[in-house]
């Protein structure tokens, strides 16, 4: 059963002469348990596509179904529910809250769900241990390396055990050693949890190592698909 | 998100920039404090006014004094002012003519009394429960020596001795039945009837005579005082000395001896009194019974009615009508009711103005809240974007900032109300002294009233103001586009 189904998705930004077509008819199907890498040059529309998949924005035209949610026509309330229940997101720039402990960062999504504090603490500690930061629960972002920060972000994205994980260049801000570690972590977690991962990157060898399938976006269109091993 | 988490988030945000939070809260604190203080003082003052007069019959008191009347002194009817002019000018000129018809320079003015007809009319007015003429008289007084007691205060008859001016004493007529004079008698007794021929001497007169000790004053009861009344004269002297018993060089009108019935002391400490009685008794050296005082008053030829009269209305609702009728007759009227109403009106005007000023203070502090929240939203744009990406609804985001504003309002309100309460306690001590000095009456109540609903109301007002101030920034936060917010630096 396909988890993600996009048909002829277009996204236009701006008005009149400033009009930009970021996506010009994307067709994409992702099956359950796939690790999909989306490759493409800067400005090709990768982030735009990911934001649509994350329910943070809606397509101008086209149909989008993710886990039964009609994202093209959903209202803000349903989109919020979708984001809470269906997905986890990892950003290139980590998006950790300054001055808060790793535990706080990971507890945040659970707090939004209204979970009791004790349960939150237990789940957050477990998730941080899973990404190898069991000893860094009380460290703030300023006290963590870039790789560690991104691992906190991964723990935050996965603490709710979402069926779909979306990553926008998760290694873009990391040196190669740290990038490798994060990618290995993502691969391991995807195997253990059998979730579906969509990862954006512009490094083909990274895609080759991690993903079960890669697609390339050029100028707002998906131009080639290749199954990796 | 749970309310506890919202509170934690909000207080964390407030603690993140302490100086900004303190400054914002300070505005609310000062505004709330000012508002509670003003309302508390206003409530207290209204209570003071009520306590001082409303509790007794004083509101039904009407004091009548002679006016210029409606008729010229020659008895002819109201002078007519002919010619083309507006009503106001005609009235003004009419009054001028009336005034001038009273005579020339002040020394020739007739002493101003209520004439006999008017007195009769006043006493017969419908709705009057009681009436009393205030009769003050000026005498030269001396103690009549007795066989066993030496003449302590009388001048020696030796013609070669230097002539001392005679001692002057003012008498005031007072009824035998009186709410508080009898209670102030410290030796002897008060009058048994309104016709009793005797005198109750004020301790101050005895002191002036050189009798300082209580024993010496007590020994005086039963002794005789010699009174000399000079012929009444008009003019200034008459105006100043109660109806015009004459100066010491005027011919003697009559002389009489009266026994001392008792000694009365001044009002003191916690004792109550009525405002009008106190005003008349202020200069009294002696009291004579009301009916007898009238008898003495009429001994001076050509006097007519009294200098002033006190009417007590049966019904408070009637006072205004009575006042008006008397005014229409050309007399001057003073009432406690009017004075109280004036005070209350003044008080409410002051309260409204002061509350508006305090309201402006709160409004300005509300602008401070708006500013603080707008800054807070701006600074946390990325955070808001992240929260939304993690599944926060617009409502979740809005409630974070509403709770933040609510905390500011509640904290500022509590501190402001508490500070207001503290200052009210201090102000009470200072203000109480001022009230007692102004009204010459003991004052037991609180000058600042601080009922629970005022504290709660002030708190509520601060909270509501803060929440209203939060509406715009909160909407702004809720509408933030997460995609843009996450790009925000
Ligand atoms: N909010 C927006 N308003 C107008 N144009 C936009 C907006 N967001 C993106 N675009 C445009 O859409 C196109 C695709 O942008 P997108 O961010 O998806 O690229 P990308 O593939 O993620 O690039 P990069 O690799 O640099 O992150 C770009 O030309 C960009 O300028
Ligand atoms: Mg991008």
């Amino acid at each position: 059963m396909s988890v993600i189904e996009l048909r002829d998705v277009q996204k236009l930004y701006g008005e009149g002469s400033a009009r930009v077509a970021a996506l010009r008819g994307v067709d994409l199907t992702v099956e359950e348990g796939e690790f999909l890498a989306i490759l493409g040059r800067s400005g090709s529309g990768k982030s735009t596509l990911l934001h649509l998949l994350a329910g943070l924005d809606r397509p101008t035209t086209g149909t989008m179904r993710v886990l039964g949610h009609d994202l093209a026509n959903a209202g803000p309330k349903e989109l919020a529910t979708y984001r809470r229940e269906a997905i986890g997101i990892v950003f290139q720039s980590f998006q950790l809250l300054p001055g808060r402990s790793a535990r706080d960062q990971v507890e945040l999504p659970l707090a939004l769900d209204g979970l009791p504090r004790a349960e939150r603490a237990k789940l957050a500690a477990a998730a941080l241990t899973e990404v190898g930061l069991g000893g860094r629960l009380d460290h703030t972002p300023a006290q963590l390396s870039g790789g560690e920060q991104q691992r906190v972000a991964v723990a935050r994205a996965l603490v709710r055990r979402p069926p779909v994980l979306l990553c926008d260049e998760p290694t873009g801000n990391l040196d190669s050693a740290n990038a490798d570690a994060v990618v290995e972590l993502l691969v391991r977690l995807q195997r253990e949890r059998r979730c579906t991962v969509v990862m954006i990157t512009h490094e083909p060898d990274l895609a080759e190592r991690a993903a079960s399938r890669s697609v390339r976006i050029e100028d707002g269109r998906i131009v080639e698909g290749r199954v990796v091993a | 998100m749970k309310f506890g988490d919202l509170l934690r988030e909000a207080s964390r945000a407030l603690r993140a920039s302490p100086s900004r939070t303190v400054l914002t809260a300070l505005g609310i604190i000062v505004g709330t404090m000012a508002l509670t203080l003003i309302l508390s003082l206003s409530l207290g003052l209204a209570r003071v006014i009520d306590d001082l007069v409303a509790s007794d019959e004083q509101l039904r008191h009407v004091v009548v004094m002679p006016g210029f009347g409606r008729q010229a002194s020659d008895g002819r009817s109201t002078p007519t002012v002919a010619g083309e002019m507006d009503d106001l000018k005609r009235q003004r000129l009419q009054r001028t003519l009336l005034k001038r018809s009273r005579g020339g320079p002040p020394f020739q003015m007739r002493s101003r009394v209520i004439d006999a007809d008017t007195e009769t009319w006043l006493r017969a007015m419908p709705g009057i429960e009681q009436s009393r003429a205030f009769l003050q008289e000026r005498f030269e007084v001396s103690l009549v020596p007795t066989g066993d007691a030496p003449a302590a205060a009388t001048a020696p008859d030796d013609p070669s001795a230097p002539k001392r001016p005679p001692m002057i004493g003012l008498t005031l007529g007072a009824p035998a039945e009186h709410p508080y004079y009898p209670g102030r008698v410290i030796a002897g007794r008060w009058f048994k009837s309104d016709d009793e021929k005797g005198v109750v001497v004020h301790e101050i007169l005895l002191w002036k005579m050189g009798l300082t000790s209580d024993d010496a004053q007590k020994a005086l009861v039963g002794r005789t005082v010699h009174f000399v009344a000079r012929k009444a004269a008009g003019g200034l002297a008459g105006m100043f000395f109660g109806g015009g018993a004459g100066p010491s060089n005027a011919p003697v009108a009559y002389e009489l001896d009266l026994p001392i019935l008792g000694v009365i002391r001044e009002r003191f400490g916690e004792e109550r009194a009525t405002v009008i009685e106190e005003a008349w008794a202020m200069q009294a050296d002696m009291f004579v019974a009301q009916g007898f005082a009238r008898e003495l008053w009429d001994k001076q030829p050509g006097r007519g009615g009294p200098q002033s009269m006190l009417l007590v209305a049966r019904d408070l609702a009637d006072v205004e009508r009575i006042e008006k009728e008397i005014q229409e007759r050309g007399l001057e009227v003073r009432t406690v009711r009017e004075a109280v109403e004036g005070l209350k009106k003044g008080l409410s005007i002051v309260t409204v103005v002061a509350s508006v000023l305090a309201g402006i203070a709160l409004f300005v502090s509300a602008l401070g809240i708006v500013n603080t929240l707008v800054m807070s939203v701006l600074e946390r744009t990325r955070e808001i974007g992240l929260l939304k990406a993690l599944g926060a609804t617009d409502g979740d985001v809005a409630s974070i900032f509403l709770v933040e504003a609510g905390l500011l309002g509640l904290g500022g309100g509590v501190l402001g109300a508490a500070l207001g309460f503290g200052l009210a306690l201090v102000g009470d001590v200072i203000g109480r002294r001022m009230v007692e000095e102004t009204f010459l009456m003991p004052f037991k109540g609180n000058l600042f009233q601080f009922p629970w609903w005022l504290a709660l109301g002030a708190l509520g007002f601060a909270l509501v103001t803060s929440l209203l101030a939060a509406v715009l920034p909160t909407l702004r936060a809720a509408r933030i586009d997460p995609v843009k917010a996450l790009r925000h630096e």
Side-chain angles (χ1 to χ4, degrees):
Chain A
M1 199 196 94
S2 41
V3 172
I4 299 172
E5 265 187 50
L6 271 58
R7 290 288 165 268
D8 193 26
V9 167
Q10 300 208 21
K11 180 67 187 176
L12 306 176
Y13 287 116
E15 292 288 323
S17 61
R19 203 162 180 95
V20 178
L23 297 177
R24 312 164 175 250
V26 169
D27 292 316
L28 180 68
T29 306
V30 183
E31 301 300 328
E32 191 177 347
E34 261 194 299
F35 196 131
L36 177 75
I38 298 178
L39 287 154
R41 279 207 303 274
S42 182
S44 56
K46 304 184 296 292
S47 291
T48 303
L49 178 59
L50 195 96
H51 290 146
L52 291 183
L53 286 172
L56 292 171
D57 208 349
R58 275 184 307 200
T60 312
T61 60
T63 59
M64 292 184 67
R65 295 197 70 82
V66 182
L67 290 163
H69 292 269
D70 177 4
L71 295 188
N73 300 307
K77 264 238 148 68
E78 196 193 340
L79 285 180
T81 309
Y82 163 78
R83 294 196 292 262
R84 212 162 35 228
E85 291 174 354
I87 60 161
I89 314 183
V90 177
F91 301 95
Q92 177 177 351
S93 51
F94 319 143
Q95 302 288 4
L96 298 179
L97 300 180
R100 311 255 196 133
S101 68
R103 191 205 303 271
D104 273 5
Q105 316 274 356
V106 181
E107 278 192 29
L108 192 57
L110 305 175
L112 282 174
D113 295 347
L115 245 66
R117 296 184 83 192
E119 202 172 331
R120 253 149 55 185
K122 216 175 69 195
L123 289 173
L128 281 165
T129 307
E130 231 181 325
V131 300
L133 291 174
R136 300 290 179 90
L137 296 184
D138 294 314
H139 289 222
T140 62
Q143 298 164 331
L144 296 168
S145 74
E148 286 166 337
Q149 287 184 51
Q150 192 61 305
R151 270 142 71 192
V152 173
V154 170
R156 180 179 65 192
L158 289 172
V159 72
R160 282 166 166 160
R161 309 202 150 259
V164 174
L165 179 65
L166 305 172
C167 310
D168 189 353
E169 304 210 35
T171 59
N173 282 8
L174 302 176
D175 59 42
S176 60
N178 271 314
D180 288 351
V182 166
V183 166
E184 267 165 42
L185 174 67
L186 287 174
V187 170
R188 175 166 63 82
L189 289 172
Q190 191 263 340
R191 291 221 175 105
E192 282 171 15
R193 299 194 172 193
R194 321 205 64 74
C195 59
T196 310
V197 177
V198 176
M199 182 179 80
I200 284 167
T201 179
H202 56 254
E203 291 171 57
D205 50 315
L206 210 73
E208 205 156 322
R209 250 190 301 149
S212 55
R213 182 161 69 103
S214 298
V215 295
R216 173 169 291 276
I217 290 192
E218 240 164 57
D219 222 6
R221 282 195 196 88
I222 294 201
V223 293
E224 71 180 82
R226 184 160 65 92
V227 182
V228 183
Chain B
M1 235 172 154
K2 284 207 175 128
F3 190 68
D5 291 321
L6 286 174
L7 272 183
R8 252 191 304 280
E9 278 301 311
S11 66
R12 173 196 283 275
L14 290 175
R15 268 179 287 130
S17 38
S19 53
R20 193 168 74 194
T21 302
V22 167
L23 285 176
T24 310
L26 211 60
I28 309 167
I29 291 170
V30 171
T32 312
M33 185 192 75
L35 202 64
T36 48
L37 263 184
I38 287 159
L39 291 177
S40 155
L41 179 61
S42 158
L43 283 172
L45 285 180
R47 174 76 72 86
V48 170
I49 294 170
D50 283 347
D51 276 5
L52 287 178
V53 285
S55 53
D56 47 46
E57 55 170 42
Q58 292 193 66
L59 285 178
R60 293 186 280 121
H61 284 187
V62 178
V63 178
V64 186
M65 286 170 295
F68 292 110
R70 289 283 171 195
Q71 295 185 333
S73 60
D74 57 9
R76 278 184 315 201
S77 56
T78 315
T80 43
V81 179
E84 211 169 298
M85 65 189 80
D86 60 35
D87 281 353
L88 200 68
K89 188 181 177 104
R90 198 182 308 278
Q91 261 176 26
R92 205 164 59 223
L93 290 180
Q94 212 164 39
R95 197 175 152 77
T96 312
L97 284 177
L98 278 174
K99 254 172 22 189
R100 296 195 170 191
S101 74
R102 291 275 146 186
F107 287 100
Q108 288 160 34
M109 260 201 204
R110 281 179 29 182
S111 76
R112 298 177 58 203
V113 294
I114 296 168
D115 63 48
D117 286 350
T118 308
E119 187 185 354
T120 316
W121 176 79
L122 284 170
R123 288 191 194 275
M125 276 184 85
I128 297 295
E129 180 182 82
Q130 238 185 76
S131 60
R132 167 160 161 225
F134 280 110
L135 301 165
Q136 203 179 47
E137 197 82 75
R138 183 173 177 269
F139 294 101
E140 291 165 24
V141 290
S142 53
L143 263 182
V144 176
T146 57
D148 49 324
T154 44
D157 287 332
D158 179 4
S160 64
K163 194 86 178 147
R164 286 199 303 162
M167 183 161 282
I168 302 297
L170 283 178
T171 62
L172 177 67
E177 293 278 333
H178 195 275
Y180 52 78
Y181 286 144
R184 290 191 204 158
V185 172
I186 51 173
R189 60 172 175 84
W190 185 248
F191 310 111
K192 282 188 171 137
S193 80
D194 279 350
D195 298 322
E196 187 163 13
K197 290 180 174 52
V199 62
V200 174
V201 187
H202 193 289
E203 57 180 345
I204 193 76
L205 185 71
L206 298 181
W207 175 79
K208 278 190 207 159
M209 287 176 162
L211 299 165
T212 53
S213 78
D214 282 356
D215 284 346
Q217 296 192 355
K218 272 185 190 126
L220 238 74
V221 176
R223 292 276 303 271
T224 305
V225 180
H226 184 66
F227 288 79
V228 178
R230 300 278 172 180
K231 271 224 167 67
L236 269 189
M239 287 170 66
F240 287 137
F241 297 112
S248 57
N249 57 1
V252 172
Y254 61 87
E255 293 181 57
L256 80 162
D257 287 337
L258 288 175
I260 295 177
L261 299 177
V263 178
I264 193 169
R265 61 162 175 76
E266 185 62 24
R267 187 180 64 84
F268 182 66
E270 308 267 296
E271 287 170 339
R272 298 194 70 105
T274 65
V275 178
I276 292 158
E277 185 80 50
E278 279 304 291
W280 273 98
M282 185 125 70
Q283 300 291 342
D285 298 308
M286 291 163 287
F287 292 88
V288 289
Q290 181 75 25
F292 182 53
R294 190 55 186 251
E295 211 175 287
L296 295 179
W297 180 262
D298 290 336
K299 275 190 179 189
Q300 295 269 10
R303 240 177 185 169
Q307 296 140 293
S308 170
M309 280 186 74
L310 169 67
L311 307 180
V312 183
R314 194 170 297 121
D315 206 337
L316 183 60
D318 236 11
V319 172
E320 226 174 321
R321 172 191 62 83
I322 292 169
E323 226 179 303
K324 212 168 185 160
E325 277 180 34
I326 296 172
Q327 261 163 359
E328 272 164 14
R329 184 133 174 161
L331 298 162
E332 279 193 46
V333 188
R334 300 269 181 280
T335 61
V336 176
R337 183 197 64 86
E338 197 178 43
V340 167
E341 253 167 35
L343 272 178
K344 280 194 167 168
K345 202 179 206 170
L347 178 62
S348 57
I349 290 171
V350 169
T351 304
V352 167
V353 169
S355 302
V356 165
L357 289 180
I360 289 173
L362 257 178
F363 177 75
V364 171
S365 74
L367 291 184
I369 296 176
V370 174
N371 185 51
T372 294
L373 288 178
V374 165
M375 299 261 287
S376 186
V377 169
L378 212 66
E379 279 167 12
R380 292 197 281 162
T381 302
R382 257 167 90 102
E383 185 179 332
I384 294 166
L386 174 73
L387 283 172
K388 286 193 161 183
L390 294 177
T393 59
D394 291 0
D396 286 332
V397 173
S399 34
I400 290 174
F401 289 95
L402 274 185
V403 169
E404 197 173 323
L407 272 187
L408 269 175
L410 211 61
V414 166
L415 281 178
L419 219 63
F421 181 66
L423 282 182
L425 288 183
V426 177
D428 210 43
V429 176
I430 301 166
R432 188 186 308 246
R433 208 170 301 149
M434 283 168 65
V435 168
E436 288 183 343
E437 277 166 15
T438 309
F439 289 86
L440 292 171
M441 292 207 186
F443 173 57
K444 272 208 174 123
N446 286 324
L447 194 55
F448 288 80
Q449 293 284 321
F450 221 91
W452 60 269
W453 56 260
L454 179 61
L456 270 189
L459 214 69
F461 195 62
L463 185 61
V464 167
T465 306
S466 308
L467 290 180
L468 284 180
V471 166
L472 242 92
T474 296
L475 282 179
R476 217 167 135 169
R479 285 184 190 150
I480 279 177
D481 173 6
V483 175
K484 278 187 196 143
L486 287 167
R487 281 211 193 102
H488 195 269
E489 285 313 315

